[in-house]
Amino acid sequence: MGNTVLSVSETKHSKQKFSKKIKQSKNDNVFNIIVYGLAAIMLLIVLYPLYFVVIASFSDPYAVSSGQVWIVPKGFTFDGYKELLKHNDIWTGYANTIMYTIVGTFVGIAVNVSAAFALSRKNLVGKKFFMMMFVFTMFFNGGLIPTFLTIKEFHLYNTFAVMVLPFSVSVFNIIVARTFFQSSIPDELWDAAQIDGCGNLGYFFKIVLPLSKAIISVLALWTAVGMWNSYFNALIYLKDSSRYPLQLILRNILIVNSMQGSMGTGEAAQVALRLSSMMRYSVIIISTVPIMCVYPFTQKYFNQGVMIGAVKG
């Protein structure tokens, strides 16, 4: 009799647990539906402008300006790309930009990572003073004219080096890398390295750098994107068109075509305006696709490289 009563109570208890699980699962389903719905809306908000630029680059500009282009191209044409490729200096700009990006990224990583490692060391004399000087430059600088005069005095004006050396230091990247070193590289590694007779340089190159692939990849991507999109420095510090990066050459092409369309008259002006409108979207595609191809190779390092330092720091 006692066993029967016990089995009945156990059955009721299991039923209550099962009903709670059902209720929890329903709540979880509702929560998942809301989360996935919001994620889908955010994804659409981010991706649709990119998709629109792609289809607009293959569409008739009148259809784009009148709002007829939504899902698929209207008046499919390659005229915008054909007009851009008629300019041979685009290939020169591509070559220059690739070289500026590769060399500038290497220099930027070498400068910023080494500075971040030095600032992360507890035994660095004057550590707070140096860090304060770095942070000070984030809020105050000498201005455009003093910087221009300094570059002229160092004979960097209109040279390859002016695009990769003077602006290679990024205080933000230094702070991110320093936080990563402080939070992710344990001090015990330094003690063990000293026991094995390893100095500061050996510790940095043999231990710290191999353990910092994540943050180095993230900083390299940030630096490369900045170098690829940069045109203002070239506009100010370069006068030889053979040294212009791609962004500056594309900017000049758009300005010339827009001026031809606005200053001309008749059918020729309409054709120039049409080509100028088509080239705007084609320019975006040509200038962004190469650097976007780099993202998939560094995507996996973002959480590991940035969020670890951000959460623990």
Side-chain angles (χ1 to χ4, degrees), residues 188-208:
E188 289 75 12
L189 286 177
W190 169 241
D191 297 334
Q194 283 183 309
I195 294 174
D196 292 336
C198 188
N200 285 297
L201 287 178
Y203 175 67
F204 176 66
F205 286 107
K206 295 180 180 180
I207 298 177
V208 174

Side-chain angles (χ1 to χ4, degrees), residues 4-300:
T4 304
V5 174
L6 183 62
S7 63
V8 171
S9 63
E10 289 178 351
T11 303
K12 290 182 179 180
H13 185 65
S14 62
K15 287 183 178 180
Q16 291 176 354
K17 283 186 176 181
F18 182 72
S19 62
K20 288 182 179 180
K21 288 182 179 179
I22 293 176
K23 291 181 180 179
Q24 289 178 356
S25 63
K26 289 182 178 179
N27 293 333
D28 291 339
N29 291 334
V30 173
F31 176 77
N32 290 335
I33 291 173
I34 295 174
V35 170
Y36 285 123
L38 292 176
I41 294 173
M42 296 176 63
L43 183 64
L44 182 63
I45 292 174
V46 172
L47 288 183
Y48 181 75
L50 300 176
Y51 175 73
F52 178 79
V53 169
V54 174
I55 62 176
S57 66
F58 296 105
S59 302
D60 187 273
Y62 299 120
V64 176
S65 59
S66 60
Q68 300 178 24
V69 178
W70 285 89
I71 305 298
V72 295
K74 297 289 186 181
F76 193 88
T77 179
F78 289 99
D79 290 347
Y81 293 97
K82 291 179 180 178
E83 187 65 23
L84 273 178
L85 296 178
K86 289 180 181 179
H87 299 269
N88 294 326
D89 50 355
I90 284 182
W91 307 113
T92 303
Y94 258 120
N96 291 337
T97 299
I98 291 172
M99 289 301 299
Y100 292 148
T101 302
I102 293 175
V103 178
T105 301
F106 178 80
V107 173
I109 291 299
V111 171
N112 295 320
V113 172
S114 58
F117 173 73
L119 292 171
S120 68
R121 307 302 298 157
K122 294 181 179 180
N123 57 352
L124 176 65
V125 179
K127 175 181 176 180
K128 292 184 178 179
F129 171 78
F130 291 124
M131 195 64 227
M132 183 181 67
M133 290 294 99
F134 275 111
V135 174
F136 182 83
T137 61
M138 296 181 68
F139 303 97
F140 304 97
N141 59 65
L144 180 60
I145 295 177
T147 303
F148 181 85
L149 295 176
T150 301
I151 289 176
K152 289 274 289 185
E153 289 296 322
F154 280 98
H155 304 288
L156 294 175
Y157 180 72
N158 196 37
T159 63
F160 179 90
V162 76
M163 296 296 295
V164 297
L165 284 181
F167 310 99
S168 59
V169 177
S170 172
V171 179
F172 177 79
N173 289 350
I174 291 175
I175 293 175
V176 171
R178 185 203 63 167
T179 304
F180 179 86
F181 292 145
Q182 289 177 339
S183 60
S184 302
I185 307 296
D187 295 334
E188 289 75 12
L189 286 177
W190 169 241
D191 297 334
Q194 283 183 309
I195 294 174
D196 292 336
C198 188
N200 285 297
L201 287 178
Y203 175 67
F204 176 66
F205 286 107
K206 295 180 180 180
I207 298 177
V208 174
L209 289 185
L211 295 175
S212 305
K213 293 179 180 178
I215 192 64
I216 291 175
S217 299
V218 172
L219 296 183
L221 180 61
W222 289 349
T223 306
V225 171
M227 292 296 299
W228 185 273
N229 293 328
S230 177
Y231 77 93
F232 183 76
N233 291 338
L235 184 65
I236 300 299
Y237 304 113
L238 294 179
K239 66 177 181 180
D240 189 356
S241 59
S242 64
R243 301 181 185 273
Y244 283 175
L246 177 65
Q247 308 297 339
L248 188 55
I249 289 176
L250 294 177
R251 172 183 176 273
N252 293 340
I253 292 174
L254 288 179
I255 291 176
V256 170
N257 280 271
S258 299
M259 291 178 61
Q260 289 178 352
S262 60
M263 296 176 63
T265 57
E267 185 177 354
Q270 294 180 0
V271 172
L273 286 174
R274 178 176 178 273
L275 289 175
S276 177
S277 299
M278 296 181 66
M279 288 168 60
R280 291 173 187 171
Y281 296 103
S282 303
V283 162
I284 296 174
I285 300 298
I286 289 177
S287 60
T288 57
V289 166
I291 196 65
M292 287 181 65
C293 294
V294 181
Y295 274 94
F297 299 100
T298 56
Q299 177 76 26
K300 62 181 179 180

